[in-house]
Amino acid sequence: MNERLPPLTALRAFDAAARHMSFQRAAAELNVTPAALSFQIKSLEEHFGAPLFNRLNRAVELTEAGRVLASGTSEGFAALTAAWRGARRSVETDVLTVTAGPAFTAKWLAPRMYDFAQDHPDIELRFTAGLRIMDLTKDEVDVAIRFGYGPDDGLFSQPLEPEWLAPVMLPELAKRVTTPQDLLNAQLIHNSSDDFLNPRCDWPAWFKAVGIDEVPRISSSFSQPDHALDAALSGAGVVLGRRAFVIKYLADGRLVAPFKIALGTAAKFRFLCRPGQEVRPEIAAFRDWILAEMAKTASCATDMTVVPVEVLS
């Protein structure tokens, strides 16, 4: 058998056919005719010296040698793609691509973007808002802002501000809700995206923290924290808001937290990038800006008593 590597075009044709188990679908992916793809695979088999596919009546299947090769080509093309993207990012020094959750993007990043743009007009920020955990070594992303417990193996990771949850509401509503007991009769808004926190940081836990054992009644529930917060901003009730999302509204007075008891969680927002990339000027500037922005509103929470939720379990 020939030890010399075959042409890359033949390997790409084989990789597509092995993934689709169809010459026709593979040809469509590569934008070639089925006949051209079949020719590439035939030439690869001649180069290899043995069949890589069994041609059935209306289908194909990999031979044992084909299965071994398919695993290697899949990993090889993934590594090539990652290397290409990494090299491209290294020369796009004026572009910074950031991934964060939809709520953090909408409620924390977006309202502050004007200030960053004013300070750094030479950096173009591109945001990818989503809940999928993107791979910083493979996806076209430079920085990730994630909330949770980690781990962040293989990445530069810097914890951001400690996170807590406290009841927040409109100032007009706070005039009628003057004690924690009053909250039992208020419209309580639940954010189910925090249900993964362990121990739970929810309304029953908060009432337990203030010494009330009654089970609260939830009036509405949302799957995203920004939607739950928007409901509170519209006057629909009281939300157990996370620090990162409510602090700006507490600072400008649109929301108030009349009861200075908050639930503390070990989950944190973290600033993540590939190791060594934290000193890249664009990434360092973005990280320093985030830390400075968080410091601006830190004084709004100095009177908050944070009860670690672990002590309530």
Side-chain angles (χ1 to χ4, degrees):
M1 290 188 181
N2 196 340
E3 293 293 330
R4 182 172 53 85
L5 286 177
L8 189 64
T9 52
L11 286 173
R12 181 169 287 283
F14 169 79
D15 174 65
R19 284 187 284 105
H20 290 290
M21 280 294 114
S22 165
F23 285 9
Q24 187 168 355
R25 289 197 295 271
E29 176 188 312
L30 298 177
N31 199 29
V32 299
T33 65
L37 183 121
S38 182
F39 175 80
Q40 289 288 349
I41 292 176
K42 188 65 177 175
S43 68
L44 181 65
E45 290 176 323
E46 291 175 355
H47 185 98
F48 180 66
L52 298 170
F53 286 98
N54 290 322
R55 277 77 166 173
L56 307 178
N57 188 23
R58 292 189 175 182
V60 293
E61 67 178 14
L62 289 165
T63 64
E64 179 60 31
R67 284 192 289 272
V68 173
L69 182 60
S71 174
T73 55
S74 176
E75 293 175 2
F77 280 116
L80 279 172
T81 300
W84 179 259
R85 288 173 175 171
R88 190 165 63 184
R89 290 202 303 270
S90 70
V91 299
E92 289 183 335
T93 56
D94 59 341
V95 176
L96 192 65
T97 304
V98 179
T99 179
F104 189 82
T105 302
K107 295 302 182 187
W108 202 98
L109 287 170
R112 296 169 168 85
M113 278 300 91
Y114 178 78
D115 292 339
F116 182 85
Q118 289 292 102
D119 293 341
H120 303 280
D122 54 326
I123 300 176
E124 177 188 344
L125 282 179
R126 298 177 182 173
F127 292 100
T128 300
L131 298 178
R132 181 173 76 87
I133 302 299
M134 301 186 77
D135 190 332
L136 297 183
T137 63
K138 297 178 181 178
D139 295 318
E140 294 189 69
V141 172
D142 301 298
V143 170
I145 308 295
R146 293 179 188 160
F147 178 71
Y149 300 99
D152 302 316
D153 297 337
L155 295 173
F156 169 84
S157 177
Q158 178 167 347
L160 301 176
E161 292 290 333
E163 193 69 340
W164 46 251
L165 299 89
V168 298
M169 64 196 80
L170 292 179
E172 298 78 24
L173 180 56
K175 295 175 182 177
R176 304 192 303 271
V177 181
T178 59
T179 69
Q181 193 75 30
D182 291 339
L183 281 175
L184 292 171
N185 298 316
Q187 301 294 307
L188 301 183
I189 301 169
H190 175 62
N191 162 34
S192 63
S193 71
D194 285 335
D195 289 351
F196 80 97
L197 295 173
N198 186 23
R200 295 280 293 251
C201 289
D202 52 13
W203 280 112
W206 187 85
F207 278 105
K208 187 175 182 180
V210 295
I212 297 176
D213 294 328
E214 294 181 53
V215 178
R217 182 181 60 83
I218 304 300
S219 65
S220 57
S221 182
F222 294 86
S223 62
Q224 296 297 326
D226 52 331
H227 298 166
L229 182 56
D230 284 342
L233 285 165
S234 73
V238 185
V239 68
L240 197 60
R242 273 209 248 138
R243 181 191 192 282
F245 303 139
V246 304
I247 198 72
K248 187 174 181 66
Y249 297 105
L250 295 177
D252 65 21
R254 291 182 61 188
L255 292 175
V256 295
F259 313 115
K260 303 304 180 182
I261 301 293
L263 294 175
T265 174
K268 291 182 174 66
F269 279 102
R270 291 103 63 216
F271 181 100
L272 307 173
C273 64
R274 288 173 293 151
Q277 289 292 296
E278 68 275 9
V279 297
R280 180 178 149 192
E282 293 75 24
I283 292 179
F286 186 61
R287 178 174 50 131
D288 292 345
W289 173 78
I290 285 181
L291 293 173
E293 284 295 311
M294 289 186 168
K296 288 180 182 179
T297 53
S299 61
C300 298
T302 54
D303 59 345
M304 194 71 71
T305 298
V306 180
V307 178
V309 71
E310 290 80 8
V311 305
L312 304 174
S313 302

